[in-house]
Amino acid sequence: MLATTTARLTSAILLGALCCGCHPAQHPTATSTSTAAPATPSVAPVVRIAPLPVRPVEKSQPTTPDKCPATNPAAPAPSSGVLVTCDLTRTTRYTLGPEMMRLELTHVDAPKPLTADFYQVILTVDPASETAWAGFTAAHPHAHIAFIRDDLVLEAPMIQEQVTSGQIALTTQTAAAATQLAQLAGRPA
């Protein structure tokens, strides 16, 4: 019985090798006269993500889209001045103080559902930003801050505790908003 099973297994392996072209006899020796350079595997270029500005929230209030100021991504507001803008859904109007820091992102995860009503997007920062963000969150407990892209508020969380992981979790209430947040946060520099 064992000999029969071993023989069948060996036959199946040899047949598979012949069918898939893996057997050495299936590969003739190349006799090309071409002088082209051998192909090298292509490596995807490293995409650098645009820095993510962080501003303090001085005031926030519910609004309607028609009461949101126009923004121009080609001409962002000066980082040293006050910025009045809205969130991505144009339902909250913010007055933001001058830029406090810029985080260098290395990766933005695709949105993941947390519950039926909330989605999460994880931002990963580089080591220098990880250190700066850990120091900032330790020094500013309960601060209300805003992450900005194209002069719009991506998300405006309250700092609950020091963040030392090098990752920032942002949450939204719809899959569409989470997708938009991830796309904007991960925009190339």
Side-chain angles (χ1 to χ4, degrees):
M1 176 76 177
L2 181 60
T4 305
T5 303
T6 304
R8 285 185 187 163
L9 182 59
T10 303
S11 297
I13 291 171
L14 288 174
L15 181 60
L18 289 172
C19 290
C20 77
C22 299
H23 191 275
Q26 297 293 321
H27 298 287
T29 305
T31 56
S32 172
T33 58
S34 171
T35 58
T40 57
S42 62
V43 176
V46 174
V47 176
R48 187 169 170 266
I49 299 172
L52 188 66
V54 179
R55 289 179 177 246
V57 175
E58 295 178 354
K59 182 179 175 183
S60 66
Q61 62 193 47
T63 194
T64 57
D66 59 311
K67 293 183 181 175
C68 287
T71 60
N72 181 356
S79 61
S80 60
V82 171
L83 173 63
V84 177
T85 190
C86 288
D87 61 347
L88 294 177
T89 59
R90 303 177 72 73
T91 58
T92 305
R93 182 180 168 116
Y94 292 92
T95 301
L96 306 173
E99 194 174 289
M100 300 165 73
M101 66 183 345
R102 284 182 172 238
L103 299 172
E104 294 291 335
L105 303 178
T106 59
H107 185 74
V108 175
D109 287 353
K112 292 186 173 72
L114 291 176
T115 66
D117 298 328
F118 286 94
Y119 294 81
Q120 177 175 272
V121 175
I122 302 287
L123 312 178
T124 304
V125 298
D126 72 359
S129 290
E130 179 179 349
T131 301
W133 184 243
F136 179 82
T137 56
H140 298 91
H142 311 293
H144 192 186
I145 53 105
F147 296 103
I148 307 298
R149 180 71 80 214
D150 296 342
D151 286 346
L152 289 171
V153 174
L154 295 182
E155 193 68 29
M158 298 281 288
I159 296 172
Q160 300 299 320
E161 59 187 21
Q162 183 181 22
V163 179
T164 59
S165 68
Q167 294 187 324
I168 300 167
L170 302 180
T171 58
T172 61
Q173 291 186 322
T174 67
T179 298
Q180 184 181 19
L181 183 135
Q183 288 172 343
L184 284 171
R187 190 184 73 215

